[in-house]
Amino acid sequence: MLKHVVLFSLDGFETQEEKLIVLAKIKVELERLPESISALRSMKVSVNENPKESYDFMLEALVESIEALPLYADHPDHVEVVRSLIKPYLKARACVDYSVE
């Protein structure tokens, strides 16, 4: 199994309230993806509660292998969430993929 961990920093919100609304939508839509993407075993999204840190949220996805990662990443449902909810605000992204038992 492969754990795919991604940190996101977002920017461009009018208010903190708008940012929290978008983060809540991102969480719901990303965590819904295992229902439609068979390569995706699980998805967990955590919103950073520490305002002193630069990353706003983290996703943890579990897939069968590194070869299965594109089946999730390139899936139309995932691409749509990224296009509509993440890309418009994306400031920075960091990723680590590692094997788990």
Side-chain angles (χ1 to χ4, degrees), residues 22-34:
V22 170
L23 285 168
K25 287 179 186 177
I26 290 170
K27 179 176 174 59
V28 167
E29 294 303 318
L30 286 175
E31 288 183 347
R32 188 178 289 166
L33 291 177

Side-chain angles (χ1 to χ4, degrees), residues 12-28:
F13 300 98
E14 296 288 327
T15 64
Q16 182 64 17
E17 181 178 296
E18 178 191 2
K19 183 176 186 176
L20 293 175
I21 290 168
V22 170
L23 285 168
K25 287 179 186 177
I26 290 170
K27 179 176 174 59
V28 167

Side-chain angles (χ1 to χ4, degrees), residues 1-53:
M1 298 293 258
L2 184 82
K3 182 79 74 145
H4 174 67
V5 179
V6 187
L7 301 174
F8 294 90
S9 180
L10 305 179
D11 198 11
F13 300 98
E14 296 288 327
T15 64
Q16 182 64 17
E17 181 178 296
E18 178 191 2
K19 183 176 186 176
L20 293 175
I21 290 168
V22 170
L23 285 168
K25 287 179 186 177
I26 290 170
K27 179 176 174 59
V28 167
E29 294 303 318
L30 286 175
E31 288 183 347
R32 188 178 289 166
L33 291 177
E35 297 170 11
S36 62
I37 303 175
S38 61
L40 187 56
R41 302 292 181 164
S42 66
M43 171 72 78
K44 180 180 177 188
V45 174
S46 301
V47 175
N48 191 354
E49 295 181 20
N50 186 346
K52 295 180 181 179
E53 295 297 333

Side-chain angles (χ1 to χ4, degrees), residues 1-5 42 60-65 97-101:
M1 298 293 258
L2 184 82
K3 182 79 74 145
H4 174 67
V5 179
S42 66
E60 295 175 88
L62 187 63
V63 295
E64 191 66 36
S65 65
D97 296 311
Y98 61 94
S99 294
V100 294
E101 295 293 320

Side-chain angles (χ1 to χ4, degrees), residues 61-79:
L62 187 63
V63 295
E64 191 66 36
S65 65
I66 193 76
E67 293 79 19
L69 194 56
L71 299 174
Y72 145 68
D74 298 334
H75 190 282
D77 291 349
H78 174 254
V79 170

